[in-house]
Amino acid sequence: MDAATPSPILSPRLEELLQSLSDRSFSERLRKVYGAASQAITRLSDLDLLKYETAHVDESPDLSLWEEMAPVIRDTVVDVNGLLNVIREQFSARSAGATPAGPGPLLAATVEARRAKDASELLQGWMQQLAQGVTQLGETMRNPAVVSDRWTLLAEIQRLRERFREQIGNLVFESASAFGPVTRQQVVPGHEAEVKAAVMVRAIVADLSRIVSARLSKVREAEPEDVQWNAQQLQTELDAFGRTAAYKHLRAQDKRHIIELRGRVGKLAIQDAPLNQDVLSLVEELDAFVRSLSSVNQRQVLLAHDREVWAGCGVRLERALALESSDPSGAAKALAEAAASAQSLYGRDPRLDAFLRKARKLQLAQLSGAELDSTIATLQSLLALLDMM
């Protein structure tokens, strides 16, 4: 880290762990690594690929993007190597006569010494993986099939930067876990923002899936004079999706497919009398693709988030049941809290989604009697249907 660069602010939980270590030298070395990790994650996250994208998919070779992206690729390598250099400096074997890289004498034969040793070994392991990733990035960028195709190049850069962020997050989380119980949200820089982005993408994709599914039903039933109108409406709906914040966070390969399909829809929308079968075939293809985007549910960051939210909702609903006879207003409030929390699960299951859309329009905290009882039971049953394993 450059001496002129201010030290990144670490999370309260990381600060607490570092302050708890009796070996101040080891604590400060670990602090430098965590600071460098925080800076690297921030820099690796700070890239808007939208300005490098195009509104069409061109299969012809194009090296112009390679020239545009060369500084981004260089900075990616520099950012990761900056962290690697800090780890090597603080935790690799020192030259003869220097202070040992491992835990200091104050930690000898203590529990903290063993934990410090574990943390040091974890840092070394993740350092090796990051170094291998840098090597792979170089090999990938020498592949003509990658650098000559705009969307393939964008997808690879996005994938590699995302993997670096994940590995650095694992480095911080696992090494910090050696000293006490922590969650990723408590210690991993940028984790909360990544979760929010994934939750947003899932929700918007779920709504897009509903829209496309509804459009598909209308096209199947459309009279010949209504086919063009349906194509134009679908074009408008895809354009609206492209303006959402969630679109920015889609993976490049998914954007490529949407742009390609959007272009084909546009060609049909300007025809005076497009064939119903042509529009129907295209909407069916779009419907299948949008449904495939639900694979976002399998992202590790969402799996962990969903388990936590699911458990919290269960606790609130149990409280609602316990209060239902003695304190109906308290039970209704607990139900409203559970439903509000469950909104971040929107997009995980269509049945739950339908309940959550309805819940947004209701004053759940005002429910009472049989309606309160049935609503609690409904939300409990919907949450029980979710696969959280």
Side-chain angles (χ1 to χ4, degrees):
M1 207 182 320
D2 194 307
T5 303
S7 298
I9 298 175
L10 303 183
S11 71
R13 181 58 178 146
L14 272 183
E15 285 288 355
E16 182 183 358
L17 288 176
L18 292 172
Q19 291 295 333
S20 71
L21 299 181
S22 60
D23 186 331
R24 302 314 304 160
S25 173
F26 181 82
S27 174
E28 287 307 308
R29 283 162 39 210
L30 200 55
R31 181 187 299 278
K32 291 179 181 178
V33 170
Y34 289 159
S38 177
Q39 185 180 55
I41 287 178
T42 299
R43 291 177 63 85
L44 289 168
S45 301
D46 189 23
L47 175 63
D48 185 0
L49 293 180
L50 285 175
K51 63 182 179 181
Y52 301 108
E53 298 168 4
T54 58
H56 62 277
V57 176
D58 188 354
E59 298 296 338
S60 60
D62 177 15
L63 291 175
S64 63
L65 181 64
W66 166 251
E67 298 174 356
E68 294 179 58
M69 295 300 293
V72 175
I73 297 165
R74 177 202 63 210
D75 290 345
T76 300
V77 173
V78 168
D79 294 336
V80 177
N81 279 337
L83 171 59
L84 293 177
N85 289 336
V86 172
I87 298 174
R88 291 189 186 102
E89 179 183 345
Q90 301 300 324
F91 287 92
S92 293
R94 308 286 180 90
S95 57
T99 303
L106 291 177
L107 293 179
T110 66
V111 172
E112 190 175 314
R114 291 193 296 272
R115 291 176 175 175
K117 182 175 181 296
D118 290 344
S120 300
E121 291 174 351
L122 286 165
L123 290 176
Q124 293 288 336
W126 284 112
M127 182 180 74
Q128 293 176 9
Q129 289 199 38
L130 286 167
Q132 291 169 0
V134 172
T135 300
Q136 182 188 354
L137 185 151
E139 293 172 351
T140 300
M141 294 306 128
R142 287 193 291 271
N143 184 344
V146 172
V147 299
S148 64
D149 182 274
R150 173 175 293 269
W151 287 98
T152 301
L153 179 58
L154 286 174
E156 281 300 298
I157 292 174
Q158 189 180 48
R159 180 184 69 83
L160 289 167
R161 288 171 68 93
E162 180 181 328
R163 191 175 70 174
F164 282 136
R165 293 198 306 271
E166 180 182 349
Q167 290 177 331
I168 296 171
N170 289 338
L171 177 154
V172 174
F173 173 70
E174 293 184 9
S175 60
S177 296
F179 300 101
V182 297
T183 65
R184 290 182 182 274
Q185 184 174 358
Q186 289 176 325
V187 298
V188 175
H191 179 75
E192 185 174 357
E194 187 171 357
V195 170
K196 286 181 178 179
V199 167
M200 175 178 58
V201 168
R202 174 169 64 187
I204 296 296
V205 165
D207 282 338
L208 178 64
S209 183
R210 282 198 311 121
I211 291 170
V212 173
S213 179
R215 184 61 52 198
L216 179 57
S217 297
K218 291 178 180 178
V219 171
R220 283 174 175 156
E221 300 170 358
E223 298 295 335
E225 61 269 21
D226 295 327
V227 174
Q228 184 193 39
W229 179 84
N230 274 283
Q232 292 171 342
Q233 290 300 111
L234 179 59
Q235 182 181 29
T236 299
E237 289 158 353
L238 288 177
D239 287 345
F241 174 69
R243 292 191 294 271
T244 64
Y247 178 80
K248 173 183 175 180
H249 294 282
L250 281 184
R251 295 179 178 179
Q253 59 267 38
D254 295 331
K255 291 182 180 180
R256 178 179 191 162
H257 205 154
I258 287 177
I259 289 173
E260 180 183 11
L261 290 169
R262 163 48 178 90
R264 290 163 59 190
V265 170
K267 290 178 181 179
L268 290 173
I270 61 175
Q271 293 182 17
D272 291 333
L275 296 177
N276 182 283
Q277 185 55 46
D278 290 344
V279 176
L280 179 60
S281 177
L282 182 53
V283 180
E284 286 176 339
E285 183 180 347
L286 177 61
D287 181 60
F289 172 70
V290 173
R291 288 179 185 276
S292 75
L293 294 180
S294 65
S295 61
V296 68
N297 280 307
Q298 301 308 311
R299 289 185 60 187
Q300 191 60 43
V301 68
L302 275 183
L303 290 173
H305 162 270
D306 291 353
R307 291 191 194 101
E308 183 178 344
V309 171
W310 180 80
C313 289
V315 170
R316 291 184 176 93
L317 290 175
E318 288 293 337
R319 187 167 72 247
L321 283 174
L323 293 172
E324 195 173 1
S325 58
S326 62
D327 182 8
S329 63
K333 182 180 178 181
L335 168 63
E337 290 173 353
S341 179
Q343 290 292 341
S344 66
L345 297 176
Y346 188 84
R348 188 170 181 97
D349 182 271
R351 293 161 296 186
L352 178 62
D353 293 350
F355 174 90
L356 294 174
R357 286 194 299 272
K358 182 179 179 182
R360 294 170 193 162
K361 303 174 184 178
L362 299 176
Q363 295 293 327
L364 296 182
Q366 305 299 321
L367 297 183
S368 61
E371 191 175 11
L372 172 61
D373 182 65
S374 64
T375 305
I376 293 173
T378 298
L379 182 52
Q380 276 190 316
S381 64
L382 290 171
L383 292 172
L385 292 173
L386 299 182
D387 180 9
M388 289 297 170
M389 300 303 292

